[in-house]
Amino acid sequence: MTREAPRVAGGTLLGTLLDLRDDTVGLYLRAHRDHGDVVRFPLGPPGLRAYLYGVFSADGVQQVLGTGAANFRKDNHIYGEIRASLGNGLLTSQDDDYVFQRRLVQPLFTRRRVDGYAAAIHTEAAATAGRWAARPDPVVDLAAEMAEFALRATSRILFGADLDETVEVVRRCFPVLGEQVLRRGANPFSPPRSWPTAVNRRAAAAQRELYAVCDRLIAERHACAASADGDDMMTMLIRARDEDGSRLDSQAVRDQILVFLLAGHESTATALAFALHLLALHPEAQQKAQAEVDEILGGREPGAEDRDRLPYLTMVLKEAMRLYPSVPITGRRTVAETEIGGFRIPAGADVTVSPYVTHRHPAYWTDPEVFDPARFAPEAEADRPRYAYFPFGRGPRACIGQHFTMLEASIALACFLQRFGLTAIDTDIPMEVGITMRPCAPIRVRLVPR
């Protein structure tokens, strides 16, 4: 017999709406601790109240993202806001549109193709390390530095020689659009985007500027696509053809580029910033990672072929992404009434799963707040439910770029550890949740040249 999921306590007027806005992951952690693996969050005033469902067990996550994925669609409020701001790329598209896009984009993310981006990644990582070495002040903010590195590396791969212009526009415009998505996504009663509020006007201007630079570059690539031999991702998207000759139009190319920019640079920046931060906090782990890098690389630059030769480095990155997943909560909307863990989920309900919570679930992780890369030794991974760990999602809508993120982060981390040791200055780092989760304060470390 199915039951109603436990209800999380909230305010009389707005339920948990303000708590979700002000401390999203804190509310989710408390809800799981107090009520278990399936909960209901009340949202909005009485009479207009809706419920948001949280699902935290590995089995429940598997049902939402994997075995029952057809019943859980990207039709919720937050995905609508992302579509309105950044277009309908792979992140937000559905049904035949998604299948068509995935078919054309997938060849750009095969292991062989992604390995070809290694030199571009190392170029930006080496430039970052060179800047650090030239600084008179040995203290750096990892949050800012890794955001800049990841943005430049991703832009170099997407845009090739045009990266400097696009980096400046993205650096200025993405935070504005992210703020709008966050504000509107957290408030189902937001005013229409057409209303001339200060936030709407600022976001509209940022969107126009971002779209304009992408559209201009796409037009230039179209003009020379037949003869040019560029291997940047934008050019390859323009050239991509389906079996019947169909292709992505210019707007669809722009939509994919913007999704890749969002997912590509923010996920890598978060993974790297916290991997370095955690190594700075744990000298023994840092020494072990450096010893592996020194032994395998012997002073040469890291390449794609080294990814599988640096297992401890990979374990460090995976553990950093367990503790600090760049997307801490992801949502779906049910098509038909269903049951998860013995609890009824009605049709049309918003359902969320949370890597941030499930990655700390005591049923799967011993001392879950402790940094321990050994959790990702092969034998430990084999003993854990597959859906207990999902920093890139799981199932048919798993992130297409996860191999790219791991390659980028591995090469950069190896490059930085070759050149520097790190000593932590900041310890507890406050986080904010927007489209992704990121630090909202500096992550300062002291660099020690090696």
Side-chain angles (χ1 to χ4, degrees), residues 223-235:
C224 59
S227 59
D229 58 357
D231 60 356
D232 59 86
M233 196 175 288
M234 178 179 281
T235 299

Side-chain angles (χ1 to χ4, degrees), residues 321-386:
M321 290 187 289
R322 180 186 72 84
L323 288 166
Y324 299 99
S326 63
V327 181
I329 297 165
T330 189
R332 298 288 190 269
R333 182 167 287 170
T334 57
V335 177
E337 181 175 315
T338 189
E339 175 187 326
I340 300 178
F343 295 102
R344 185 182 76 89
I345 310 294
D350 285 329
V351 177
T352 54
V353 296
S354 173
Y356 195 90
V357 176
T358 305
H359 289 181
R360 288 165 166 77
H361 199 303
Y364 320 122
W365 312 95
T366 302
D367 297 325
E369 294 294 343
V370 173
F371 172 68
D372 181 10
R375 300 178 197 276
F376 292 95
E379 60 275 13
E381 288 193 284
D383 288 340
R384 197 158 42 236
R386 186 163 177 259

Side-chain angles (χ1 to χ4, degrees), residues 155-166:
S155 296
R156 179 178 289 276
I157 290 162
L158 288 172
F159 302 110
D162 296 298
L163 84 122
D164 286 327
E165 177 187 359
T166 54

